[in-house]
Structures are given as structure tokens and as C-alpha cells.
Amino acid sequence: MENPLLLFPQLNISASKDKPYYKVMKSAIKEEPHKASKPGAKQKRNRLSLLLQKPEFHEGDHLGKPGNLTKAASVSPEEAVKWGESFDKLLSEKAGLDAFTKFLKTEFSEENIEFWIACEDYKKSKSTQELLPKAKTIFETFIQKDAPKEVNLDFHTKEATSQNIGQPLPSTFDAAQNTVYRLMEQDSYPRFLRSDPYLNLVKGRNPARPTLRRRSRSFTVNDFQGVRPDFTVW
């Protein structure tokens, strides 16, 4: 780097460091090293940001704040047993809905239950004026392509739902909600009933912290046997 005296011939070396031209000089000297280190710092910040977005860092964040499975310790074994009678029974009770939501978070598929809850709220709208903004929010959050919490819908169901968003009815999301409901009932619900936290509730024990698993969506656990997760990106 060139001599600072050649860049600033009028510089008074003995001047106070509070003078404006000293700050300019200090900035000029440090500018190049700062730029050189910026990409590395940015990369670290990006990695940290991605890490903080992982569900285990935000277990309390959820649509409607449904609570967590640990808080379900007050559920009696008799009540927990009833959850196993049917999927409807599980979702009809707040403690059951909370426990199932917590379980889905461990599988990174909580968007399914969030969508189902949003649809239930949508159908309770008391006027047509309420339907349009709610329908738009649900569509943009869960259904449209690359939505932040996109649910797994077949092409025909997604297309039919999309065509009705402009003039929504209370039944606009019925087909999509039923599809997601069946997916949870046939896939996630049986695994929930076999999970250690649920079995501990049935036995009257304090539920242990569930082990986080990779997103399953419509896959079963057998599809991933022998596959080891790759955490090298962190």
C-alpha cells in the first residue's frame, strides 16, 4: 500500500484522533483487509443462520403455539390410550393434538398438521369477507409451488384448489385437507403410536425428549433403513 503521507500530503500526524481526516485515513488503511475477510465472515453468518433455522432451535415456534410433548406429562394413561382408538380421537382433544404436533416436528413434517389446523380455522369464518384473505394466506403458505411450508398434494388436487382461490368458498380446501389428513392418518399416526414418548404416556411415565428424525412426508421408516444421515455440511 502507498505511503499515507503521499496520499494525504496535508495530514497532520500530531492531530487528535477525533479529527475527521484521521477517521478518513484510518478507514482507508483498513478498507482492503476488511474486504478480504468479508466473504469468510459472510459464509459463517450464512451457516449460522441456516443452523438457527433448524427446527430443534425453535421448538416453541409453531402455528397457534400448540405446546410440546413434555407438557403432556399431565395426561393420564387412560386418556393417552384413547388417542390410539382413532386418528379422529387424537385430533379432537387438545392434548392429543399438541402431542401429535410435537411428534411431527421431530420428523420435520409439521407443515401437514399446520395446514390441517389452518383449514379448520378457515371453515369457521363467519363471512365471505373473511374467506378471501384467509384463502390467499393458506394458498401462499402451503399450496403454491415452492411455498414456505408446501404440503404434499397430487397435481389434480392442487390444480383444482388453485382455480378456486379467486372466489373462495368454505369448501375450497376440503379436497386438499382430506388428502393431507389421510397422509397423516396412514403414515405419521401409526409411527406416533409406536414412538417412545407416546408409549411412555400410556405407561404413565414422563415422556423423554424425542429423537429428531429426517423429514419423512409420505415415506415410511423402512425406506430409510441402512441410510446414514450426512451432517458434513455443518
Side-chain angles (χ1 to χ4, degrees):
M1 185 172 179
E2 295 186 25
N3 192 318
L5 295 178
L6 297 178
L7 293 174
F8 300 89
Q10 302 300 324
L11 180 65
N12 182 357
I13 299 300
S14 62
S16 170
K17 292 186 178 183
D18 292 330
K19 297 293 184 180
Y21 48 72
Y22 177 84
K23 293 181 180 180
V24 171
M25 184 62 197
K26 184 178 180 181
S27 175
I29 294 174
K30 292 189 176 182
E31 183 177 12
E32 290 302 323
H34 176 70
K35 288 184 178 179
S37 62
K38 188 174 183 180
K42 182 177 181 181
Q43 186 177 25
K44 290 181 180 179
R45 287 196 300 271
N46 288 340
R47 287 191 175 185
L48 178 59
S49 176
L50 289 173
L51 185 62
L52 292 177
Q53 291 175 20
K54 293 175 73 62
E56 58 265 41
F57 287 90
H58 301 280
E59 293 184 355
D61 297 338
H62 186 274
L63 184 65
K65 297 183 179 180
N68 57 56
L69 193 53
T70 303
K71 293 181 180 179
S74 59
V75 174
S76 68
E78 292 77 17
E79 184 178 358
V81 168
K82 291 181 180 179
W83 299 348
E85 295 176 0
S86 70
F87 191 44
D88 277 336
K89 182 67 174 178
L90 174 68
L91 298 186
S92 66
E93 298 186 10
K94 184 180 184 304
L97 178 60
D98 289 354
F100 184 64
T101 299
K102 180 63 176 180
F103 172 76
L104 291 185
K105 289 175 75 69
T106 70
E107 295 200 327
F108 302 102
S109 59
E110 67 272 18
E111 73 280 355
N112 291 325
I113 194 63
E114 290 183 2
F115 173 68
W116 184 86
I117 293 173
C119 290
E120 289 294 291
D121 175 73
Y122 172 82
K123 289 186 291 187
K124 295 176 183 177
S125 300
K126 298 180 180 180
S127 66
T128 55
Q129 287 76 17
E130 291 183 39
L131 291 179
L132 185 58
K134 285 186 177 182
K136 183 178 179 181
T137 298
I138 292 175
F139 179 77
E140 293 177 350
T141 304
F142 299 103
I143 296 180
Q144 72 178 10
K145 184 179 180 181
D146 298 325
K149 297 183 179 182
E150 185 177 4
V151 293
N152 190 8
L153 298 174
D154 61 90
F155 172 80
H156 295 291
T157 301
K158 180 176 289 191
E159 188 68 15
T161 304
S162 302
Q163 292 175 358
N164 295 326
I165 294 300
Q167 295 180 326
L169 300 172
S171 59
T172 293
F173 296 102
D174 283 359
Q177 185 183 18
N178 289 337
T179 298
V180 171
Y181 178 93
R182 289 195 301 271
L183 173 64
M184 293 190 293
E185 182 181 34
Q186 298 171 9
D187 183 39
S188 303
Y189 176 57
R191 286 200 303 277
F192 169 76
L193 297 179
R194 297 193 300 267
S195 68
D196 288 340
Y198 172 71
L199 294 177
N200 285 335
L201 287 176
V202 171
K203 296 174 183 178
R205 301 174 183 172
N206 289 328
R209 179 183 177 85
T211 302
L212 291 172
R213 298 170 53 177
R214 286 187 175 275
R215 177 183 296 275
S216 60
R217 287 188 178 271
S218 59
F219 300 104
T220 64
V221 68
N222 292 328
D223 295 321
F224 296 98
Q225 287 183 349
V227 178
R228 300 186 64 183
D230 181 11
F231 295 108
T232 57
V233 293
W234 305 114

